[in-house]
Amino acid sequence: MDERMDRRIARLALARFRVGGFVGTSIADLAGALGVSKAAIYYHYRSKDALLHRLVDPLLDAIDACIQDHHQPTRTARPLLSAYLAVLLAHREAIPLIATDVAVLNHPRIGPRLRAQNQQLQSLLTAPDTSPSARLRAEAALGAIWRPLIAQPPLDLTDPTHQHTLVNAAVATLQPSRPSPTGDSWPPPNRPARRARVENDAQSRPRP
């Protein structure tokens, strides 16, 4: 059985929007590529805007559900970041559209929704710390999750090991201090870095 026309239109639109941009792609372009009339496109989608929502809304709905499932700040950010990555991977084809297309980012309905979701995710990752540094770390952690999905050449993220690496990187970004190989913070909180270096140097000198 042939693919349904509405799905063919959506699949082509996603590919064309990602290459030529939402603004740079017209209904006439899509109709010409499909070999149908513009009326055939409008029969399934009343406007190009409606077609954009058909492509983007499933991802946004899934992010909302992810946030709802983790609406209470947890003791660890790992479950939230893992769930967020799973959502993005399930809708990976739409990620470049909402991450790089200025027209989509500034869309009067899509843009505010994206920004609200980002703020909610930040709040869940930082609570109860609301300091600027905590917010910056949360923003960096979220970027560690979604930016590899739009890397060129594309990265293979179907391997659970690679997914685990991404989540680990994001979790590490949230930490206010850099962990040492033993898992302790470095330098130790009660020992200034300079003093630590001096003591280490002294310990490493040969003894008579």
Side-chain angles (χ1 to χ4, degrees):
M1 182 180 294
D2 292 338
E3 184 179 15
R4 284 173 38 182
M5 178 57 72
D6 60 335
R7 293 178 181 173
R8 290 180 59 196
I9 295 170
R11 182 165 54 82
L12 176 65
L14 178 59
R16 292 299 180 93
F17 289 168
R18 288 177 55 176
V19 174
F22 175 68
V23 172
T25 304
S26 67
I27 293 295
D29 294 332
L30 300 177
L34 289 169
V36 300
S37 65
K38 291 193 295 183
I41 304 290
Y42 286 123
Y43 175 80
H44 295 281
Y45 300 99
R46 65 181 183 276
S47 65
K48 191 170 72 166
D49 196 66
L51 181 51
L52 176 63
H53 278 283
R54 163 67 174 78
L55 299 173
V56 172
D57 283 356
L59 168 60
L60 301 185
D61 291 343
I63 295 176
D64 280 338
C66 176
I67 292 172
Q68 183 61 34
D69 288 343
H70 299 81
H71 67 282
Q72 293 295 334
T74 58
R75 296 184 63 184
T76 171
R78 185 176 297 276
L80 172 58
L81 291 170
S82 297
Y84 182 53
L85 175 59
V87 166
L88 298 187
L89 288 173
H91 301 271
R92 185 172 184 173
E93 290 186 346
I95 303 299
L97 190 59
I98 66 167
T100 62
D101 193 314
V102 175
V104 177
L105 290 170
N106 292 327
H107 189 278
R109 287 183 296 279
I110 296 173
R113 190 175 177 188
L114 282 169
R115 289 186 285 274
Q117 289 176 337
N118 191 68
Q119 186 172 1
Q120 289 176 291
L121 289 167
Q122 280 190 26
S123 297
L124 290 171
L125 291 172
T126 60
D129 188 352
T130 59
S131 66
S133 60
R135 291 176 57 195
L136 286 171
R137 289 194 298 270
E139 184 69 26
L142 292 173
I145 294 294
W146 68 261
R147 285 189 180 278
L149 275 72
I150 62 172
Q152 292 297 330
L155 298 172
D156 177 16
L157 296 177
T158 59
D159 188 334
T161 302
H162 297 167
Q163 298 172 24
H164 189 64
T165 298
L166 278 189
V167 174
N168 282 345
V171 170
T173 302
L174 291 170
Q175 304 306 314
S177 59
R178 182 180 178 182
S180 73
T182 61
D184 300 324
S185 61
W186 185 260
N190 295 325
R191 178 183 294 180
R194 183 177 179 182
R195 180 183 172 189
R197 287 196 299 270
V198 170
E199 292 182 7
N200 286 338
D201 291 341
Q203 292 173 2
S204 64
R205 292 172 185 165
R207 296 182 179 181

